[in-house]
Amino acid sequence: MENRIELFRGDITKLNTDAIVNAANNNLLGGGGVDGAIHRAAGKELLEECRLLNGCATGDAKITKAYKLPSKFVIHTVGPVWSGREDDAQLLKSCYIRSLEIAAENGIKTIAFPNISTGVYHFPKEEAGKIAAAAVKSFFENNKTIEKVIFVVFDDENFQIYKRLLRLNFNE
Ligand code: ADP
């Protein structure tokens, strides 16, 4: 299990995995944070393709090409804005599962995730990390085609959380 999961600290737009995941918003028309970084690095053709998708529901995901990025595809998923309600966790889990399902359907073998919803959407980082790690772990139980999931951490708090979580969950 552990050799299918890696931790990378830095900018997701630099990765040449088959797909990178974007923490987008419902209209898929770009935003701040990692979404802004991905659109800037991919170029305006990404926005043109996104305009054709008619947005995306929270907890769901849609795929596009990656244009000027080193990866081949971008999978845009929409995390929940943290509300404190019970369905926050289910929606966040669904972002990871739907992204992985779409990746598998498209023959993607390597995929990088940002820490969805932990920026301006204010999901508590520790809980979000646990949900992310558990979602990938459960997906891997029934999938053999995805070879590598890279969790990309950008800020120090997430770096510390993921180092600990991945050791606890996967290296025992
Ligand atoms: P959300 O709206 O889902 O909260 P944000 O983009 O605000 O999305 O934040 C999600 C996470 O992405 C945060 O943990 C933030 O630190 C991280 N992030 C911001 N820029 C980048 C980047 N270039 N590469 C990877 N992660 C990034």
Side-chain angles (χ1 to χ4, degrees):
M1 174 71 73
E2 63 265 33
N3 61 7
R4 293 171 82 186
I5 294 182
E6 274 178 22
L7 189 57
F8 172 81
R9 186 176 190 183
D11 182 354
I12 200 168
T13 66
K14 307 296 184 205
L15 293 182
N16 66 354
T17 43
D18 293 339
I20 64 170
V21 175
N22 182 16
N25 49 40
N26 290 116
N27 63 25
L28 298 183
L29 299 182
V34 70
D35 194 5
I38 287 172
H39 276 274
R40 274 194 301 279
K44 65 175 178 7
E45 286 170 295
L46 178 61
L47 184 59
E48 285 163 17
E49 186 174 353
C50 284
R51 280 190 212 285
L52 306 174
L53 298 177
N54 293 316
C56 183
T58 304
D60 201 359
K62 293 190 176 178
I63 190 167
T64 66
K65 290 183 280 184
Y67 301 98
K68 292 180 181 152
L69 289 162
S71 59
K72 298 190 189 82
F73 298 99
V74 178
I75 295 175
H76 307 261
T77 189
V78 184
V81 178
W82 169 253
S83 67
R85 286 195 300 266
E86 261 176 43
D87 64 349
D88 291 340
Q90 194 51 43
L91 288 167
L92 185 61
K93 177 184 178 187
S94 176
C95 288
Y96 287 92
I97 298 294
R98 287 293 301 132
S99 296
L100 289 163
E101 286 172 353
I102 288 170
E105 286 163 13
N106 284 275
I108 285 160
K109 296 195 183 315
T110 57
I111 178 169
F113 281 96
N115 305 136
I116 300 163
S117 285
T118 68
V120 297
Y121 283 4
H122 291 301
F123 207 109
K125 290 179 178 176
E126 173 86 25
E127 191 185 339
K130 284 182 183 160
I131 290 165
V136 170
K137 189 178 174 183
S138 78
F139 185 84
F140 275 164
E141 282 169 12
N142 295 308
N143 169 280
K144 297 287 167 264
T145 65
I146 294 184
E147 294 169 1
K148 189 80 74 187
V149 167
I150 301 178
F151 286 116
V152 179
V153 291
F154 199 64
D155 55 271
D156 192 56
E157 194 182 345
N158 271 315
F159 182 53
Q160 300 306 331
I161 288 168
Y162 273 81
K163 267 200 303 190
R164 184 164 37 75
L165 279 178
L166 296 180
R167 199 164 47 232
L168 280 175
N169 285 336
F170 303 108
N171 289 342
E172 277 175 347

